[in-house]
Amino acid sequence: MGKKAVVLGAAGGIGQPLSLLLKQSQVLTDLALFDVVPSVIGVGADLSHINSSSVLTAHTKDNDGLAKALKDADIVVIPAGVPRKPGMTRDDLFKINAGIVSDLATAIAQNCPKAFICVISNPVNSTVPIVAEVLKKAGVFDPKRLFGVTTLDIVRASTFVTSSLGIPNEAPKYSVPVVGGHSGTTIVPLLSQAEPKIDDKLLGNKEELEKVVNRIQFGGDEVVKAKDGAGSATLSMAYAGYRFVDSLIKAKYLGQTGVIEDSYIHVSAHPNAAKALSGLVGDNNSLEFFSLPVELGPDGVKDVHSLGQTTDYEKKLLEACVAELKGNIEKGSTFVTSKA
Ligand code: NAD
Ligand code: LMR
């Protein structure tokens, strides 16, 4: 049986290195690249010389390329769309990216409705609800298979905590749960829940703790500023996106158990999602999407794990997250539902 992954937006800053990392997989049998720009054909020719297991195809819109790329896909990753420039918020990207993501979701519904969908395109808080509504309209929505990729926040949390503690590179990496959404204050790192437990040297130092949390929440801005108009995080995002897809590959094709990644999912994906969410923000939250620790399995979301007691400081972060996230979710959903 084929094992096919597809990258939509494969010629872009994230798309190219992500496709390179996926081409290294010895599990995939097929890797399809799609982009609206013709250079994707060259990217495909280049990557196709790598002697790994997957057969590589590259497609533009010509000759029904999107449908061909998506045919028989198990995993679709979407880094298509415009990135930020300095001074912009992720929400400023909605105007352009909402339509791009919505069109791609329509094609997925038509060509590979059972695929796992991994949404990278910003604003993730709203683009994931867009995909959900498009799939609902097409009658093929399965919340177990839709993922907003927030892995870069988890990668940053681990890096920034280690750096704040001044721990050498060879030390074990901290696994810090990051819940909520993927923009500024909706990104909620729960340092009190990290594994291994973070030293009181940081947890008990209010000023340093707030500095690290702020850096995790606004790490994207750091890169946007440094790239000075040339885009946002691409290489670290490709690394994070690959980590997420590799976890899906392990859970789906290799039968590995206990594969857990935080991801922005629909709360109906598993009964334990609502439980985990209310444990963090209470019962009356009316949130449909939230990033939570998701156990992955052959069908996608296999379980959702609850987190332990949060601190008063983290409770405040969660309150601020909920207030903003609600509007982001509604904006995405309405983009689809308001159309006839
Ligand atoms: P980029 O401009 O370098 O690449 C985007 C690619 O998408 C381009 O090649 C473009 O041709 C292609 N594209 C545009 N419309 C398309 C369509 N309809 N179908 C297929 N491809 C299409 O941008 P980038 O730096 O790769 O960033 C892509 C997106 O990822 C941005 O929205 C960015 O904000 C987001 N992002 C998300 C995260 C995250 O953590 N989730 C991290 C970094 C960037
Ligand atoms: C990030 O977190 O780096 C991405 O969401 C890109 C951005 O706009 O900051």
mmCIF file of all heavy atoms in Angstrom, residues 14 82-85 88-90 93 120-124 149 152-153 156 182-184 187 216-224 231-234 236-237, ligand 2:
data_model
loop_
_atom_site.group_PDB
_atom_site.id
_atom_site.type_symbol
_atom_site.label_atom_id
_atom_site.label_comp_id
_atom_site.label_asym_id
_atom_site.label_seq_id
_atom_site.Cartn_x
_atom_site.Cartn_y
_atom_site.Cartn_z
ATOM 1 N N ILE A 14 9.206 27.860 3.503
ATOM 2 C CA ILE A 14 9.033 26.664 4.347
ATOM 3 C C ILE A 14 8.949 25.426 3.456
ATOM 4 O O ILE A 14 9.555 24.391 3.748
ATOM 5 C CB ILE A 14 7.736 26.759 5.191
ATOM 6 C CG1 ILE A 14 7.799 27.939 6.150
ATOM 7 C CG2 ILE A 14 7.486 25.458 5.946
ATOM 8 C CD1 ILE A 14 6.460 28.303 6.766
ATOM 9 N N VAL A 82 1.017 33.874 2.150
ATOM 10 C CA VAL A 82 2.038 34.915 2.354
ATOM 11 C C VAL A 82 2.502 34.956 3.816
ATOM 12 O O VAL A 82 1.737 34.686 4.725
ATOM 13 C CB VAL A 82 1.524 36.315 1.930
ATOM 14 C CG1 VAL A 82 1.368 36.390 0.428
ATOM 15 C CG2 VAL A 82 0.215 36.666 2.618
ATOM 16 N N PRO A 83 3.790 35.293 4.009
ATOM 17 C CA PRO A 83 4.311 35.458 5.380
ATOM 18 C C PRO A 83 4.257 36.928 5.811
ATOM 19 O O PRO A 83 4.028 37.820 4.984
ATOM 20 C CB PRO A 83 5.765 34.989 5.235
ATOM 21 C CG PRO A 83 6.139 35.299 3.812
ATOM 22 C CD PRO A 83 4.879 35.336 2.996
ATOM 23 N N ARG A 84 4.551 37.175 7.086
ATOM 24 C CA ARG A 84 4.525 38.549 7.631
ATOM 25 C C ARG A 84 5.745 39.355 7.207
ATOM 26 O O ARG A 84 6.805 38.810 6.931
ATOM 27 C CB ARG A 84 4.547 38.492 9.166
ATOM 28 C CG ARG A 84 3.251 38.095 9.772
ATOM 29 C CD ARG A 84 3.206 38.480 11.232
ATOM 30 N NE ARG A 84 4.033 37.657 12.099
ATOM 31 C CZ ARG A 84 4.385 38.021 13.321
ATOM 32 N NH1 ARG A 84 4.031 39.205 13.808
ATOM 33 N NH2 ARG A 84 5.110 37.212 14.077
ATOM 34 N N LYS A 85 5.558 40.666 7.259
ATOM 35 C CA LYS A 85 6.661 41.628 7.174
ATOM 36 C C LYS A 85 6.670 42.378 8.500
ATOM 37 O O LYS A 85 5.669 42.349 9.230
ATOM 38 C CB LYS A 85 6.402 42.600 6.021
ATOM 39 C CG LYS A 85 6.613 41.995 4.632
ATOM 40 C CD LYS A 85 6.524 43.094 3.581
ATOM 41 C CE LYS A 85 7.079 42.714 2.230
ATOM 42 N NZ LYS A 85 6.771 41.427 1.687
ATOM 43 N N MET A 88 3.562 43.784 10.909
ATOM 44 C CA MET A 88 2.292 43.081 10.664
ATOM 45 C C MET A 88 2.003 42.071 11.777
ATOM 46 O O MET A 88 2.931 41.508 12.358
ATOM 47 C CB MET A 88 2.362 42.296 9.343
ATOM 48 C CG MET A 88 2.410 43.150 8.102
ATOM 49 S SD MET A 88 2.712 42.108 6.646
ATOM 50 C CE MET A 88 1.066 41.513 6.288
ATOM 51 N N THR A 89 0.723 41.827 12.001
ATOM 52 C CA THR A 89 0.335 40.716 12.876
ATOM 53 C C THR A 89 0.008 39.526 11.971
ATOM 54 O O THR A 89 -0.171 39.698 10.762
ATOM 55 C CB THR A 89 -0.932 41.055 13.692
ATOM 56 O OG1 THR A 89 -2.028 41.208 12.762
ATOM 57 C CG2 THR A 89 -0.736 42.327 14.504
ATOM 58 N N ARG A 90 -0.117 38.357 12.569
ATOM 59 C CA ARG A 90 -0.497 37.192 11.752
ATOM 60 C C ARG A 90 -1.902 37.403 11.195
ATOM 61 O O ARG A 90 -2.217 36.981 10.085
ATOM 62 C CB ARG A 90 -0.423 35.916 12.592
ATOM 63 C CG ARG A 90 1.015 35.528 12.960
ATOM 64 C CD ARG A 90 0.998 34.243 13.770
ATOM 65 N NE ARG A 90 2.316 33.837 14.221
ATOM 66 C CZ ARG A 90 2.931 34.345 15.285
ATOM 67 N NH1 ARG A 90 2.360 35.309 15.990
ATOM 68 N NH2 ARG A 90 4.117 33.889 15.646
ATOM 69 N N LEU A 93 -2.561 38.724 7.783
ATOM 70 C CA LEU A 93 -2.396 37.822 6.632
ATOM 71 C C LEU A 93 -3.724 37.194 6.202
ATOM 72 O O LEU A 93 -3.814 36.579 5.136
ATOM 73 C CB LEU A 93 -1.396 36.700 6.966
ATOM 74 C CG LEU A 93 0.000 37.137 7.432
ATOM 75 C CD1 LEU A 93 0.801 35.929 7.921
ATOM 76 C CD2 LEU A 93 0.747 37.846 6.303
ATOM 77 N N ILE A 120 -0.166 24.883 8.284
ATOM 78 C CA ILE A 120 0.915 25.752 8.756
ATOM 79 C C ILE A 120 0.581 27.223 8.457
ATOM 80 O O ILE A 120 0.947 28.121 9.217
ATOM 81 C CB ILE A 120 2.247 25.345 8.078
ATOM 82 C CG1 ILE A 120 2.694 23.956 8.569
ATOM 83 C CG2 ILE A 120 3.347 26.372 8.341
ATOM 84 C CD1 ILE A 120 3.918 23.386 7.856
ATOM 85 N N SER A 121 -0.128 27.465 7.357
ATOM 86 C CA SER A 121 -0.421 28.833 6.894
ATOM 87 C C SER A 121 -1.083 29.669 7.988
ATOM 88 O O SER A 121 -2.045 29.232 8.625
ATOM 89 C CB SER A 121 -1.363 28.794 5.686
ATOM 90 O OG SER A 121 -0.986 27.784 4.788
ATOM 91 N N ASN A 122 -0.582 30.877 8.147
ATOM 92 C CA ASN A 122 -1.119 31.796 9.161
ATOM 93 C C ASN A 122 -2.270 32.636 8.618
ATOM 94 O O ASN A 122 -2.350 32.843 7.408
ATOM 95 C CB ASN A 122 0.012 32.738 9.628
ATOM 96 C CG ASN A 122 0.776 32.160 10.782
ATOM 97 O OD1 ASN A 122 0.188 31.615 11.710
ATOM 98 N ND2 ASN A 122 2.106 32.279 10.731
ATOM 99 N N PRO A 123 -3.113 33.145 9.497
ATOM 100 C CA PRO A 123 -3.130 32.929 10.935
ATOM 101 C C PRO A 123 -3.761 31.584 11.304
ATOM 102 O O PRO A 123 -4.954 31.391 11.070
ATOM 103 C CB PRO A 123 -4.005 34.087 11.451
ATOM 104 C CG PRO A 123 -4.908 34.434 10.299
ATOM 105 C CD PRO A 123 -4.156 34.110 9.054
ATOM 106 N N VAL A 124 -2.940 30.685 11.852
ATOM 107 C CA VAL A 124 -3.376 29.319 12.161
ATOM 108 C C VAL A 124 -4.669 29.316 12.993
ATOM 109 O O VAL A 124 -5.558 28.490 12.775
ATOM 110 C CB VAL A 124 -2.246 28.565 12.909
ATOM 111 C CG1 VAL A 124 -2.741 27.275 13.531
ATOM 112 C CG2 VAL A 124 -1.095 28.270 11.952
ATOM 113 N N VAL A 149 -0.592 23.221 12.965
ATOM 114 C CA VAL A 149 0.778 22.903 13.376
ATOM 115 C C VAL A 149 1.329 24.034 14.261
ATOM 116 O O VAL A 149 1.611 25.129 13.777
ATOM 117 C CB VAL A 149 1.689 22.660 12.154
ATOM 118 C CG1 VAL A 149 3.093 22.274 12.607
ATOM 119 C CG2 VAL A 149 1.097 21.567 11.254
ATOM 120 N N LEU A 152 6.303 24.674 16.268
ATOM 121 C CA LEU A 152 7.413 25.632 16.391
ATOM 122 C C LEU A 152 7.403 26.292 17.772
ATOM 123 O O LEU A 152 8.461 26.597 18.331
ATOM 124 C CB LEU A 152 7.326 26.687 15.273
ATOM 125 C CG LEU A 152 8.438 27.723 15.214
ATOM 126 C CD1 LEU A 152 9.831 27.083 15.210
ATOM 127 C CD2 LEU A 152 8.282 28.619 13.982
ATOM 128 N N ASP A 153 6.217 26.493 18.334
ATOM 129 C CA ASP A 153 6.134 27.075 19.680
ATOM 130 C C ASP A 153 6.752 26.128 20.718
ATOM 131 O O ASP A 153 7.380 26.559 21.680
ATOM 132 C CB ASP A 153 4.672 27.366 20.044
ATOM 133 C CG ASP A 153 4.020 28.302 19.040
ATOM 134 O OD1 ASP A 153 4.698 29.236 18.574
ATOM 135 O OD2 ASP A 153 2.847 28.098 18.699
ATOM 136 N N ARG A 156 10.549 26.216 20.224
ATOM 137 C CA ARG A 156 11.095 27.456 20.807
ATOM 138 C C ARG A 156 11.098 27.377 22.332
ATOM 139 O O ARG A 156 12.079 27.781 22.972
ATOM 140 C CB ARG A 156 10.235 28.651 20.381
ATOM 141 C CG ARG A 156 10.474 29.087 18.967
ATOM 142 C CD ARG A 156 9.632 30.317 18.611
ATOM 143 N NE ARG A 156 9.920 30.740 17.257
ATOM 144 C CZ ARG A 156 9.008 31.111 16.363
ATOM 145 N NH1 ARG A 156 7.735 31.152 16.696
ATOM 146 N NH2 ARG A 156 9.378 31.474 15.149
ATOM 147 N N HIS A 182 -1.860 29.995 18.086
ATOM 148 C CA HIS A 182 -0.529 30.306 17.556
ATOM 149 C C HIS A 182 -0.452 31.772 17.127
ATOM 150 O O HIS A 182 -0.408 32.084 15.938
ATOM 151 C CB HIS A 182 -0.179 29.373 16.387
ATOM 152 C CG HIS A 182 1.134 29.716 15.744
ATOM 153 N ND1 HIS A 182 2.343 29.520 16.387
ATOM 154 C CD2 HIS A 182 1.435 30.277 14.552
ATOM 155 C CE1 HIS A 182 3.324 29.937 15.600
ATOM 156 N NE2 HIS A 182 2.797 30.421 14.485
ATOM 157 N N SER A 183 -0.498 32.674 18.118
ATOM 158 C CA SER A 183 -0.199 34.095 17.856
ATOM 159 C C SER A 183 -0.131 34.809 19.197
ATOM 160 O O SER A 183 -1.068 34.713 19.997
ATOM 161 C CB SER A 183 -1.269 34.751 16.982
ATOM 162 O OG SER A 183 -2.439 34.947 17.720
ATOM 163 N N GLY A 184 0.985 35.455 19.436
ATOM 164 C CA GLY A 184 1.149 36.319 20.607
ATOM 165 C C GLY A 184 0.551 35.762 21.883
ATOM 166 O O GLY A 184 0.911 34.656 22.327
ATOM 167 N N ILE A 187 -0.615 32.134 22.546
ATOM 168 C CA ILE A 187 0.384 31.075 22.760
ATOM 169 C C ILE A 187 0.646 30.994 24.267
ATOM 170 O O ILE A 187 1.146 31.954 24.859
ATOM 171 C CB ILE A 187 1.697 31.397 22.011
ATOM 172 C CG1 ILE A 187 1.454 31.465 20.492
ATOM 173 C CG2 ILE A 187 2.796 30.385 22.353
ATOM 174 C CD1 ILE A 187 2.636 32.002 19.684
ATOM 175 N N ILE A 216 8.769 33.199 24.145
ATOM 176 C CA ILE A 216 8.093 32.088 23.451
ATOM 177 C C ILE A 216 6.865 32.632 22.698
ATOM 178 O O ILE A 216 6.617 32.279 21.541
ATOM 179 C CB ILE A 216 7.677 30.983 24.459
ATOM 180 C CG1 ILE A 216 8.913 30.387 25.141
ATOM 181 C CG2 ILE A 216 6.869 29.886 23.766
ATOM 182 C CD1 ILE A 216 8.617 29.574 26.399
ATOM 183 N N GLN A 217 6.108 33.527 23.365
ATOM 184 C CA GLN A 217 4.895 34.048 22.736
ATOM 185 C C GLN A 217 5.200 34.900 21.502
ATOM 186 O O GLN A 217 4.446 34.917 20.543
ATOM 187 C CB GLN A 217 4.108 34.905 23.747
ATOM 188 C CG GLN A 217 3.510 34.071 24.885
ATOM 189 C CD GLN A 217 2.629 34.900 25.802
ATOM 190 O OE1 GLN A 217 3.002 36.000 26.220
ATOM 191 N NE2 GLN A 217 1.454 34.369 26.131
ATOM 192 N N PHE A 218 6.331 35.616 21.560
ATOM 193 C CA PHE A 218 6.631 36.553 20.473
ATOM 194 C C PHE A 218 7.919 36.179 19.712
ATOM 195 O O PHE A 218 8.532 37.027 19.063
ATOM 196 C CB PHE A 218 6.684 37.990 21.023
ATOM 197 C CG PHE A 218 5.332 38.425 21.558
ATOM 198 C CD1 PHE A 218 5.015 38.276 22.901
ATOM 199 C CD2 PHE A 218 4.360 38.919 20.697
ATOM 200 C CE1 PHE A 218 3.753 38.615 23.387
ATOM 201 C CE2 PHE A 218 3.101 39.271 21.170
ATOM 202 C CZ PHE A 218 2.796 39.122 22.522
ATOM 203 N N GLY A 219 8.283 34.897 19.775
ATOM 204 C CA GLY A 219 9.475 34.408 19.072
ATOM 205 C C GLY A 219 9.387 34.636 17.566
ATOM 206 O O GLY A 219 10.390 34.911 16.898
ATOM 207 N N GLY A 220 8.171 34.535 17.028
ATOM 208 C CA GLY A 220 7.976 34.750 15.588
ATOM 209 C C GLY A 220 8.389 36.159 15.189
ATOM 210 O O GLY A 220 9.031 36.364 14.147
ATOM 211 N N ASP A 221 8.060 37.145 16.042
ATOM 212 C CA ASP A 221 8.396 38.554 15.749
ATOM 213 C C ASP A 221 9.907 38.756 15.675
ATOM 214 O O ASP A 221 10.400 39.575 14.891
ATOM 215 C CB ASP A 221 7.845 39.487 16.834
ATOM 216 C CG ASP A 221 6.333 39.427 16.951
ATOM 217 O OD1 ASP A 221 5.790 38.306 16.879
ATOM 218 O OD2 ASP A 221 5.697 40.478 17.116
ATOM 219 N N GLU A 222 10.611 37.998 16.535
ATOM 220 C CA GLU A 222 12.078 38.088 16.574
ATOM 221 C C GLU A 222 12.653 37.779 15.182
ATOM 222 O O GLU A 222 13.540 38.482 14.684
ATOM 223 C CB GLU A 222 12.587 37.023 17.556
ATOM 224 C CG GLU A 222 13.711 37.447 18.455
ATOM 225 C CD GLU A 222 14.040 36.332 19.457
ATOM 226 O OE1 GLU A 222 14.872 35.480 19.137
ATOM 227 O OE2 GLU A 222 13.483 36.320 20.576
ATOM 228 N N VAL A 223 12.119 36.738 14.554
ATOM 229 C CA VAL A 223 12.619 36.319 13.236
ATOM 230 C C VAL A 223 12.163 37.301 12.152
ATOM 231 O O VAL A 223 12.940 37.689 11.278
ATOM 232 C CB VAL A 223 12.158 34.870 12.895
ATOM 233 C CG1 VAL A 223 12.711 34.432 11.552
ATOM 234 C CG2 VAL A 223 12.586 33.904 13.991
ATOM 235 N N VAL A 224 10.894 37.720 12.237
ATOM 236 C CA VAL A 224 10.363 38.679 11.243
ATOM 237 C C VAL A 224 11.217 39.949 11.248
ATOM 238 O O VAL A 224 11.593 40.469 10.192
ATOM 239 C CB VAL A 224 8.879 39.013 11.551
ATOM 240 C CG1 VAL A 224 8.385 40.182 10.697
ATOM 241 C CG2 VAL A 224 8.003 37.789 11.315
ATOM 242 N N GLY A 231 10.528 38.075 5.016
ATOM 243 C CA GLY A 231 9.671 36.970 5.446
ATOM 244 C C GLY A 231 9.810 36.625 6.910
ATOM 245 O O GLY A 231 10.367 37.390 7.708
ATOM 246 N N SER A 232 9.297 35.451 7.265
ATOM 247 C CA SER A 232 9.290 35.017 8.667
ATOM 248 C C SER A 232 10.026 33.688 8.783
ATOM 249 O O SER A 232 10.718 33.270 7.847
ATOM 250 C CB SER A 232 7.844 34.930 9.163
ATOM 251 O OG SER A 232 7.069 34.090 8.340
ATOM 252 N N ALA A 233 9.878 33.031 9.912
ATOM 253 C CA ALA A 233 10.600 31.774 10.152
ATOM 254 C C ALA A 233 10.296 30.764 9.046
ATOM 255 O O ALA A 233 9.133 30.510 8.734
ATOM 256 C CB ALA A 233 10.191 31.201 11.499
ATOM 257 N N THR A 234 11.336 30.215 8.466
ATOM 258 C CA THR A 234 11.145 29.198 7.420
ATOM 259 C C THR A 234 11.886 27.900 7.781
ATOM 260 O O THR A 234 11.320 26.824 7.748
ATOM 261 C CB THR A 234 11.664 29.699 6.048
ATOM 262 O OG1 THR A 234 13.021 30.146 6.200
ATOM 263 C CG2 THR A 234 10.818 30.835 5.514
ATOM 264 N N SER A 236 13.407 26.979 10.794
ATOM 265 C CA SER A 236 12.966 26.379 12.068
ATOM 266 C C SER A 236 11.551 25.827 11.912
ATOM 267 O O SER A 236 11.178 24.834 12.528
ATOM 268 C CB SER A 236 13.039 27.388 13.209
ATOM 269 O OG SER A 236 12.364 28.581 12.868
ATOM 270 N N MET A 237 10.754 26.473 11.045
ATOM 271 C CA MET A 237 9.383 25.976 10.819
ATOM 272 C C MET A 237 9.407 24.673 10.038
ATOM 273 O O MET A 237 8.615 23.768 10.311
ATOM 274 C CB MET A 237 8.560 27.028 10.075
ATOM 275 C CG MET A 237 7.121 26.607 9.838
ATOM 276 S SD MET A 237 6.249 26.239 11.376
ATOM 277 C CE MET A 237 5.688 24.563 11.071
HETATM 278 C C1 LMR B 2 6.232 32.000 13.607
HETATM 279 O O1 LMR B 2 5.777 31.772 14.729
HETATM 280 O O2 LMR B 2 7.451 32.132 13.390
HETATM 281 C C2 LMR B 2 5.282 32.034 12.435
HETATM 282 O O3 LMR B 2 3.954 32.026 12.850
HETATM 283 C C3 LMR B 2 5.573 33.124 11.474
HETATM 284 C C4 LMR B 2 5.276 34.493 12.000
HETATM 285 O O4 LMR B 2 4.576 35.252 11.322
HETATM 286 O O5 LMR B 2 5.784 34.856 13.066
#
